[in-house]
Amino acid sequence: MIILAFDIFGTVLDTSTVIQEFRNKQLEYTWLLTIMGKYVEFEEITKITLRYILKVRGEESKFDEELNKWKNLKAYEDTKYLKEISEIAEVYALSNGSINEVKQHLERNGLLRYFKGIFSAESVKEYKPSPKVYKYFLDSIGAKEAFLVSSNAFDVIGAKNAGMRSIFVNRKNTIVDPIGGKPDVIVNDFKELYEWILRYK
């Protein structure tokens, strides 16, 4: 049975409701910390980033409001296909978010039942696209081959670099990044992903 490791933020959960400067800086901080050999919990990075962005914007009073948006992200409409996908594939979560945070998001959106397990960057104290995150996942489930499913180009590149196969969910109709090699599969949404799995079988 095909093994799929789903990225969560931006792939399963729609992050367009939060300030995009915040989301971009949040990712930047995870990369900087990993490069510097330092680790800060993802929830704390989220708060630090949000405070910084809101201070730059002169909107510090909106902290609680904006943090609440992050904590209540909605799943994309097409994630309803996770039910069908989970019936013909082994479905896992592989996220920079903590296991507890990811679990809460999936549970709130009624999706937790479709995942066999949740794996987090917190286990290796480095963030994607560090090779350690992807290799940790493969080692943990005892698999030689698995597909990362992500809408984040850096994530797809990271997975390929670490020896995983990749499926790019091209939600924003973007050009594939030239660095890091092409994804093994490109789909526009989870419906197309489900249809591809049916053919793959």
Side-chain angles (χ1 to χ4, degrees):
M1 185 177 284
I2 188 172
I3 299 171
L4 305 175
F6 283 79
D7 170 60
I8 300 302
F9 299 111
T11 302
V12 173
L13 301 175
D14 183 0
T15 59
S16 67
T17 55
V18 300
I19 300 169
Q20 289 310 293
E21 296 163 273
F22 151 69
R23 174 60 176 155
N24 293 338
K25 182 64 73 172
Q26 180 194 47
L27 288 172
E28 181 185 326
Y29 283 167
T30 62
W31 299 333
L32 282 172
L33 287 164
T34 297
I35 290 168
M36 293 188 297
K38 297 182 178 182
Y39 179 76
V40 175
E41 291 181 352
F42 193 70
E43 287 93 332
E44 187 59 27
I45 292 174
T46 297
K47 293 175 183 177
I48 291 169
T49 307
L50 188 56
R51 286 194 182 97
Y52 169 74
I53 292 299
L54 291 176
K55 186 172 184 179
V56 170
R57 292 164 63 103
E59 299 175 344
E60 291 153 285
S61 63
K62 292 185 177 181
F63 178 80
D64 290 339
E65 175 188 342
E66 294 298 328
L67 183 61
N68 190 57
K69 287 181 183 178
W70 176 261
K71 289 183 176 181
N72 290 279
L73 294 173
K74 301 298 182 186
Y76 284 102
E77 177 65 26
D78 61 293
T79 56
K80 63 186 179 184
Y81 283 95
L82 280 170
K83 179 181 185 297
E84 286 82 1
I85 291 171
S86 68
E87 292 170 353
I88 57 175
E90 288 188 24
V91 174
Y92 297 91
L94 181 59
S95 177
N96 276 338
S98 70
I99 292 173
N100 184 57
E101 182 179 13
V102 171
K103 183 179 179 180
Q104 288 178 358
H105 277 294
L106 294 177
E107 200 164 33
R108 188 180 300 110
N109 282 280
L111 301 173
L112 184 60
R113 74 191 83 170
Y114 306 129
F115 290 80
K116 289 192 67 175
I118 298 172
F119 293 86
S120 167
E122 69 182 353
S123 298
V124 297
K125 300 294 187 288
E126 290 188 12
Y127 290 104
K128 296 190 288 183
S130 166
K132 289 184 180 179
V133 181
Y134 310 99
K135 290 176 180 177
Y136 164 72
F137 170 73
L138 290 174
D139 290 344
S140 295
I141 65 170
K144 292 184 178 180
E145 181 177 280
F147 287 84
L148 176 84
V149 181
S150 182
S151 295
N152 295 302
F154 77 87
D155 201 8
V156 170
I157 293 168
K160 292 284 288 185
N161 178 61
M164 285 184 74
R165 301 185 74 184
S166 64
I167 300 172
F168 180 46
V169 184
N170 194 4
R171 293 196 178 281
K172 298 179 180 179
N173 192 29
T174 57
I175 297 173
V176 176
D177 279 280
I179 193 170
K182 292 182 179 180
D184 294 281
V185 181
I186 299 176
V187 296
N188 290 316
D189 54 33
F190 284 8
K191 179 178 183 291
E192 286 189 12
L193 174 60
Y194 172 60
E195 292 168 350
W196 175 82
I197 298 169
L198 288 174
R199 295 194 300 272
Y200 182 83
K201 287 179 65 182

